[in-house]
Amino acid sequence: MDGESRGQTDGTDPADQWLLNPETGDYELRPNGIPEQPETPRPRSAPRPGSTAPDPGPGRVPRQRGRPTAPAEAPAPAPGHTRGSGRRKRKQKKSARKKALLWTGSGLGLVLLSGSAFVYYWYDRLYGNISTVDIGDVGSDTVLKDGPVNILVIGNDVRTGKGNEKYGNRDNVTGHADTTLLFHVAEDRSNATVLSIPRDLMIKIPDCTAKQSDGSTKDIPGSTIATKFNESFGVNGRDPGCTMLTVEKITDLEVDHFMMFDFNAVKTLSTAVGGVKVCLEKPIKDLDGGSGLDLPSGESTIQGEDALSFLRNRHGLKNESDLDRIGMQQKFVASMIRRLKEDTLDSPSKLLDVADAATKSLTVDKGIGSPSKLLTLARELGKIDLKNITLMTVPVRDNPAEPTPVTVVLDPVKAPKVFGMLQNDVSFTEVKKKDKEAKDKQAALLEGPRAEASGIRVDVLNGGGPQGAAQDTLAWLRTSEGVPKSANKGNAPAEVDRTRLEYAPNQADQARKLADLMGLPASALKPGTTDAAATVPMTLTLGPDFKKAGVPVAPPKKVDVEQSHADEKMCQE
């Protein structure tokens, strides 16, 4: 992509905006992007004085060339550079030796200068590819915050693009949230969970505010009755931020970023990685769907149109349902993750090709809307062992409100367990935690004698739980669990991240008993260092992880749901 294609009408080569600083030996962007003028301007094709060789053209070693035209607008800054931070003038003179070393056309100098042009070219190109959506205060401003990170991947079913008309016409040019995946990356980055959300899941979509193209905002009311999840995007002007809020309402997880792709992105990315391996127990031949998909049993490598047809296909699957298709999509995603990790991330040339295709194909939030941020994210995810990446679908069951169910609802038992494990950052795989010794020490707090429920003294405060949680818990403790010496102290002075029980060393037996009754994890116990008087109560502060009285706060250790892992081969050898 040359300077003219980036809007530089004077023909400026991007590499010309970079100068070698004799004082530091580093290459820096010209101050304000303004090219320096030599004493005698000459045409680009003219030879240098005393030389018969023509100047190198764009894409070759950059040279500080004169321009008879007006200064060009400054290009996008290179990574780590602050726009407008030009070279500072220094009074001291440079030695002749230093000048000679830095300004001669040595082979090393040419390589370094060419490299800076190459880096700038690719950064500028990738930056220009990226499409972003301003989702306001939804999401995070940082790429990878401390703690767990949740990234929502939205598959948009808009039909625009060559060859996509075969999948049916769609009046809505925006599309819907057809395929949605929630990537949960653990706090210690040792594992990740990929959770598929069915498009036909019936839920209530919350109110949201969407940014408009003119910079204004639009308040969009939520649904008053349960509707399909896929309407959380594209209907009534809902943007990806609305889908993020919907997922947060369903899972009670904070979603940090989103990535959105369409049909064309599937074709582009699958081709860029060199194809994706899939395996079929029996052949698939789409005679009715119009895609022309024709795959044999066993292993195949698909890309482009075939990859999209594979992900859209329902024919020949068990029930020909969306849930069956989700299972195939998960296998495809796992296979692509393996391809990226094993063949792409360690190859600079392949990585550039995939980065070019990805940035052209994806729409992201502004928090990750730059090449450096996306690369940071990719490298961090690339560190996770494939065997510790779990893929599953939100547990659902047929919608009981429909005589012949075509939609689904959350499984009232299994879904909360899955969400609870993610909320508490519990891995679905056997991962050796870095802080195992600390956790063992914490777990020891639950070991020891228990007091009688009638002997527990506790003050209950609400530090971020549901409205009225303290009073509801007090009533439950007194009437259902036989804890009469409990009191409601209202709202806590400040909200807490998680529910906590603070107690004195001589109240440990009371704390263990209350932890049993409330289903508190060991991490919720906060022992003090000084014994308390017999009439002094413990302090229980309810946090956002508290749902309601009688529901354990401690996350489940496992849940019986169908799952797979990214290291599993498509065809077992």
Side-chain angles (χ1 to χ4, degrees):
M1 186 179 295
D2 57 23
E4 294 171 318
S5 69
R6 301 294 300 156
Q8 293 166 279
T9 56
D10 66 348
T12 302
D13 186 336
D16 283 348
Q17 302 303 317
W18 293 86
L19 294 175
L20 180 64
N21 186 336
E23 296 295 333
T24 65
D26 294 330
Y27 293 92
E28 301 177 354
L29 193 66
R30 291 179 184 276
N32 300 318
I34 301 174
E36 292 182 352
Q37 302 289 338
E39 293 181 2
T40 306
R42 54 188 171 82
R44 178 175 296 185
S45 59
R48 291 175 293 166
S51 171
T52 57
D55 284 351
R60 301 290 299 279
V61 179
R63 195 185 334 274
Q64 288 69 56
R65 293 181 285 246
R67 304 290 190 282
T69 57
E73 182 180 347
H81 180 81
T82 302
R83 188 183 295 273
S85 57
R87 295 170 294 161
R88 293 196 306 170
K89 294 182 179 180
R90 299 179 184 268
K91 295 182 179 181
Q92 64 268 29
K93 294 184 178 180
K94 298 168 287 293
S95 68
R97 176 177 174 79
K98 187 171 185 179
K99 288 181 180 179
L101 288 173
L102 293 174
W103 286 102
T104 55
S106 65
L108 179 60
L110 294 176
V111 170
L112 289 173
L113 197 52
S114 298
S116 68
F118 178 80
V119 169
Y120 172 77
Y121 165 80
W122 272 105
Y123 187 85
D124 187 54
R125 174 167 174 163
L126 297 178
Y127 201 98
N129 287 345
I130 298 173
S131 296
T132 61
V133 172
D134 186 351
I135 51 177
D137 59 356
V138 182
S140 174
D141 292 332
T142 56
V143 180
L144 289 166
K145 63 180 185 182
D146 293 336
V149 176
N150 296 299
I151 304 164
L152 193 66
V153 179
I154 305 170
N156 183 354
D157 65 355
V158 65
R159 265 63 165 178
T160 56
K162 183 179 179 181
N164 296 331
E165 63 278 355
K166 72 180 73 171
Y167 299 101
N169 294 324
R170 174 61 55 81
D171 294 333
N172 179 7
V173 296
T174 305
H176 297 121
D178 187 61
T179 300
T180 305
L181 306 170
L182 179 65
F183 276 70
H184 173 84
V185 184
E187 180 176 9
D188 64 3
R189 311 297 188 242
S190 67
N191 65 92
T193 302
V194 183
L195 189 66
S196 294
I197 302 176
R199 68 172 194 174
D200 294 331
L201 174 64
M202 299 297 287
I203 45 86
K204 288 186 178 180
I205 299 171
D207 298 342
C208 63
T209 300
K211 286 263 189 173
Q212 305 300 297
S213 58
D214 62 359
S216 63
T217 59
K218 178 183 178 182
D219 293 330
I220 304 171
S223 59
T224 56
I225 60 174
T227 188
K228 288 185 179 181
F229 170 80
N230 70 342
E231 295 185 13
S232 64
F233 172 76
V235 176
N236 298 328
R238 295 186 181 113
D239 66 1
C242 298
T243 308
M244 292 170 70
L245 287 174
T246 303
V247 172
E248 289 183 350
K249 180 179 178 181
I250 295 171
T251 64
D252 202 19
L253 289 163
E254 181 180 346
V255 181
D256 302 291
H257 301 292
F258 86 88
M259 298 180 180
M260 184 165 65
F261 65 93
D262 59 13
F263 287 5
N264 302 306
V266 172
K267 294 186 281 189
T268 302
L269 283 172
S270 61
T271 301
V273 299
V276 178
K277 291 182 180 180
V278 297
C279 187
L280 301 174
E281 294 181 2
K282 56 183 181 179
I284 290 181
K285 192 164 187 176
D286 183 9
L287 300 177
D288 303 319
S291 69
L293 182 65
D294 188 358
L295 295 177
S297 59
E299 187 177 279
S300 300
T301 299
I302 57 175
Q303 62 184 21
E305 291 289 349
D306 282 344
L308 177 59
S309 298
F310 178 83
L311 292 177
R312 297 289 304 165
N313 177 69
R314 295 189 190 189
H315 301 283
L317 303 182
K318 184 178 179 181
N319 298 311
E320 297 195 350
S321 69
D322 185 51
L323 294 179
D324 292 330
R325 183 168 64 177
I326 285 175
M328 298 296 289
Q329 291 171 346
Q330 288 176 352
K331 293 177 181 178
F332 183 92
V333 169
S335 185
M336 178 171 278
I337 290 174
R338 285 197 302 273
R339 188 79 178 214
L340 287 169
K341 185 174 176 65
E342 296 171 355
D343 300 334
T344 304
L345 291 179
D346 292 332
S347 170
S349 60
K350 290 182 180 179
L351 185 58
L352 284 177
D353 289 340
V354 172
D356 192 32
T359 51
K360 286 178 180 176
S361 305
L362 297 175
T363 299
V364 301
D365 62 275
K366 289 186 176 294
I368 52 174
S370 74
S372 60
K373 291 179 178 179
L374 288 173
L375 183 58
T376 297
L377 187 60
R379 284 177 172 168
E380 196 71 16
L381 296 179
K383 297 176 184 178
I384 302 174
D385 195 310
L386 291 173
K387 68 181 180 181
N388 293 328
I389 300 178
T390 305
L391 298 97
M392 66 175 65
T393 303
V394 172
V396 295
R397 64 178 184 176
D398 289 340
N399 187 357
E402 297 175 344
T404 304
V406 294
T407 60
V408 294
V409 295
L410 291 174
D411 186 301
V413 176
K414 294 182 179 180
K417 289 183 178 179
V418 169
F419 300 151
M421 290 180 70
L422 295 179
Q423 291 158 11
N424 290 277
D425 202 25
V426 177
S427 173
F428 286 87
T429 60
E430 294 296 329
V431 179
K432 182 179 180 181
K433 299 292 185 180
K434 298 177 181 178
D435 55 351
K436 186 175 184 301
E437 291 183 2
K439 291 196 172 187
D440 288 345
K441 183 178 180 181
Q442 187 72 29
L445 295 175
L446 291 174
E447 298 177 3
R450 267 70 172 162
E452 295 294 330
S454 59
I456 296 175
R457 291 180 179 272
V458 60
D459 287 343
V460 185
L461 295 87
N462 191 347
Q467 185 175 359
Q471 181 58 40
D472 291 343
T473 300
L474 177 67
W476 177 78
L477 285 172
R478 287 181 172 179
T479 60
S480 299
E481 303 303 318
V483 184
K485 301 172 185 176
S486 50
N488 174 14
K489 293 299 182 179
N491 292 329
E495 290 193 359
V496 294
D497 293 332
R498 297 180 183 277
T499 298
R500 62 175 61 175
L501 176 60
E502 298 168 282
Y503 60 96
N506 60 335
Q507 296 172 325
D509 57 343
Q510 296 183 48
R512 296 187 193 105
K513 182 61 177 180
L514 186 60
D516 293 343
L517 297 176
M518 298 284 299
L520 299 179
S523 58
L525 272 60
K526 308 296 180 184
T529 57
T530 305
D531 286 346
T535 57
V536 173
M538 300 182 294
T539 301
L540 174 65
T541 307
L542 305 176
D545 55 343
F546 178 82
K547 305 306 176 187
K548 65 179 181 179
V551 175
V553 177
K557 298 300 181 184
K558 61 181 180 178
V559 59
D560 182 21
V561 295
E562 185 176 347
Q563 53 190 271
S564 59
H565 300 94
D567 65 328
E568 296 172 5
K569 300 296 183 182
M570 295 295 289
C571 286
Q572 298 297 330
E573 299 177 357

